[in-house]
């Protein structure tokens, strides 16, 4: 018996959903009991799934059947500033990129009210550390950070018009990534976990702001040396954004001026920055020399603080998406209504607002699964 086929099916859409779900062609084919060659033909647009296969395919891809025939929105987007996937598994990077594209497309389809994008653009010399420090002050002003310390880095990013979405875990050796999608800055940050405390999350978000503001016109690095340069620049930006020189050093002097682990622990409680990161900043500001920095690092290691520093810094959560969906669907179930209107499974939207601690922070889970 010849099975009927769906004529209106978009192969790039199926590919996008497959990649966003973290599924290989073989995994999808095996689950649907299809030969891999048949799956390859379908994903390349040379054949369409049978009517009987359409439902299981949509279920596996986390959407309704109608979405399989909806053409993919052509986005103009930057690649993450990672060295040709050497810094993270290609499959995982591609998964998060495609999940991000799906998210932006869904938010546009829902006509969610956005905060205007106003991330400043760096026009100085990236090799000039003083220029980076001055630029970080400009970004703080644009983000309406009025206190010496940054009370909430995630909120600051959202005030700049960034969409901040969680990742279930680390991306290779990175805790975050960022990209522009049709001019919209998007930051992905690993959800908190036992070894991913709030201070690391805050620094990661600031680091990604550095990439968005300093490297928007730059392609991903091709070499280890290039990757090291742009990472150093983003680190310098994050340090200056979180620990502006004058007020930070002023607090140190108010505590007696001696750079000790006890003093740094007290400063961490106010500034929300890891002790090791403060040592780096003090070295940048020439407040301590290389020998004193090495001594502090040794003391940190001896106390077991490399993995578990004292003074808890509360993890942050993005609020724009949950608030925007609540405004769009008042007195209703926003994730359910969003799923109904976009054709994506509800769990996509649940995942995009889920900032609860990850049980396995080293594993990226499949969105919508």
């Amino acid at each position: 018996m010849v099975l009927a086929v769906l004529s209106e099916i978009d192969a790039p859409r199926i590919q996008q959903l497959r990649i966003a779900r973290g599924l290989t062609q073989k995994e999808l084919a095996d689950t649907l009991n299809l030969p891999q060659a048949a799956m390859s033909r379908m994903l390349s647009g040379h054949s369409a799934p049978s009517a009987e296969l359409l439902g299981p395919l949509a279920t596996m891809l986390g959407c309704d059947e109608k979405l399989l025939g909806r053409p993919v929105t052509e986005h103009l987007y930057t690649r993450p500033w990672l060295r040709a996937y050497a810094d993270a598994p290609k499959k995982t990077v591609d998964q998060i990129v495609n999940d991000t594209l799906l998210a932006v497309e869904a938010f546009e389809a829902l006509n969610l009210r956005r905060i205007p994008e106003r991330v400043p653009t760096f026009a100085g010399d990236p090799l000039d550390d003083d220029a980076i420090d001055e630029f970080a002050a400009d970004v703080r002003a644009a983000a309406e950070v009025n206190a010496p310390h940054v009370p909430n880095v995630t909120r600051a990013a959202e005030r700049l018009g960034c969409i901040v979405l969680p990742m279930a875990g680390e991306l290779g050796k990175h805790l975050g990534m960022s990209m522009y999608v049709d001019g919209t800055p998007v930051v992905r940050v690993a959800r908190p976990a036992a070894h991913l405390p709030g201070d690391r999350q805050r620094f990661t978000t600031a680091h990604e702001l550095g990439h968005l503001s300093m490297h928007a016109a730059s392609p991903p690095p091709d070499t280890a040396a290039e990757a090291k340069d742009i990472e150093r620049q983003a680190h310098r930006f994050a340090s200056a954004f979180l620990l502006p020189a004058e007020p930070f050093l002023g607090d140190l002097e108010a505590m007696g001026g001696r750079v000790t682990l006890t003093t740094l622990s007290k400063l961490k409680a106010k500034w929300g920055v890891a002790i090791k990161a403060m040592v780096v900043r003090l070295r940048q500001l020439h407040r301590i020399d290389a020998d004193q920095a090495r001594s502090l690092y040794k003391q940190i290691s001896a106390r077991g603080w490399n993995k578990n520093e004292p003074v808890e810094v509360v993890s942050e959560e993005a609020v724009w998406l949950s608030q925007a969906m609540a405004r769009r669907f008042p007195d209703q179930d926003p994730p359910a209504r969003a799923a109904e209107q976009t054709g994506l499974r509800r769990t996509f939207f649940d995942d995009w607002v889920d900032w609860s601690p990850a049980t396995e922070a080293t594993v990226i889970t499949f969105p919508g699964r």
Side-chain angles (χ1 to χ4, degrees):
M1 179 179 66
V2 178
L3 298 177
V5 298
L6 179 73
S7 59
E8 294 183 1
I9 188 167
D10 190 69
R13 173 68 71 185
I14 297 176
Q15 282 279 37
Q16 181 191 55
L17 289 163
R18 175 188 67 79
I19 296 170
R21 298 271 282 159
L23 296 168
T24 65
Q25 289 190 25
K26 185 177 186 307
E27 289 169 339
L28 186 57
D30 289 348
T31 303
L32 298 173
N33 294 318
L34 279 180
Q36 192 168 349
M39 177 60 65
S40 179
R41 288 195 300 273
M42 184 173 67
L43 293 175
S44 62
H46 292 99
S47 67
S50 66
E52 287 79 358
L53 190 64
L54 201 59
L57 176 62
T59 298
M60 280 299 299
L61 297 179
C63 65
D64 63 25
E65 295 180 14
K66 292 181 180 179
L67 183 58
L68 298 179
R70 190 179 305 157
V72 171
T73 300
E74 294 295 329
H75 292 291
L76 181 64
Y77 63 93
T78 60
R79 297 296 304 183
W81 290 279
L82 305 171
R83 180 169 57 95
Y85 299 112
D87 296 331
K90 181 180 186 304
K91 177 182 176 182
T92 309
V93 175
D94 287 347
Q95 178 188 351
I96 299 301
V97 167
N98 280 273
D99 180 65
T100 300
L101 297 177
L102 274 174
V104 172
E105 180 184 353
F107 304 158
E108 291 175 348
L110 293 170
N111 197 27
L112 299 183
R113 187 185 305 169
R114 288 285 318 285
I115 299 172
E117 186 276 322
R118 50 177 179 165
V119 177
T121 300
F122 182 65
D125 180 357
L127 301 180
D128 185 340
D129 289 339
D130 290 337
I132 295 176
D133 282 19
E134 292 174 6
F135 177 66
D138 294 339
V139 179
R140 284 169 58 96
E144 300 175 9
V145 177
N146 300 315
H149 69 290
V150 185
N152 192 303
V153 183
T154 303
R155 296 289 194 286
E158 290 188 310
R159 286 194 295 272
L160 290 169
C162 296
I163 295 176
V164 185
L165 301 174
M167 298 191 303
E170 298 171 61
L171 188 62
K173 65 180 183 179
H174 295 273
L175 302 180
M177 73 165 224
S178 52
M179 55 193 290
Y180 277 94
V181 182
D182 295 333
T184 297
V186 184
V187 177
R188 303 299 301 258
V189 182
R191 285 162 52 194
H195 68 296
L196 300 176
D199 52 89
R200 293 192 69 188
Q201 179 202 47
R202 284 165 52 85
F203 195 92
T204 296
T205 303
H207 177 96
E208 297 305 327
L209 271 181
H211 281 314
L212 289 168
S213 56
M214 297 185 65
H215 303 131
S218 303
D222 289 327
T223 66
E226 290 178 359
K228 183 177 180 180
D229 285 342
I230 67 169
E231 284 297 284
R232 188 201 69 79
Q233 292 158 16
H235 274 312
R236 178 78 188 206
F237 172 89
S239 295
F241 184 83
L242 294 171
L243 299 169
E246 187 174 343
F248 176 53
L249 293 178
D251 273 4
L252 174 64
E253 296 307 318
M255 292 183 180
R258 294 187 62 233
V259 181
T260 66
L261 295 189
T262 298
T263 302
L264 294 179
S265 296
K266 293 177 181 178
L267 289 170
K268 179 181 178 180
K270 173 179 177 178
W271 291 88
V273 178
I275 292 171
K276 289 184 71 173
M278 285 192 282
V279 174
V280 172
R281 184 59 172 157
L282 290 169
R283 183 78 182 92
Q284 292 173 350
L285 297 174
H286 307 292
R287 182 60 179 74
I288 60 175
D289 59 22
D291 288 339
Q292 188 173 2
R294 278 192 294 270
S295 174
L296 289 166
Y297 291 141
K298 289 180 181 179
Q299 294 175 53
I300 290 169
S301 179
R303 298 189 185 192
W305 288 2
N306 282 324
K307 294 184 177 180
N308 187 22
E309 285 191 2
V311 184
E312 180 183 2
V313 175
V314 177
S315 297
E316 299 175 354
E317 298 183 4
V319 299
W320 168 77
L321 178 55
S322 57
Q323 291 179 352
M325 288 198 299
R327 286 193 297 266
R328 180 69 176 80
F329 304 108
D331 303 320
Q332 301 177 55
D333 184 348
R337 293 286 288 119
E340 178 185 325
Q341 291 205 10
T342 60
L344 290 171
R345 187 179 297 178
R346 174 199 174 119
T347 46
F348 273 98
F349 295 92
D350 289 335
D351 287 342
W352 289 330
V353 297
D354 183 8
W355 291 94
S356 63
T359 54
E360 295 184 25
T362 57
V363 178
I364 296 287
T365 58
F366 302 152
R369 205 160 176 177

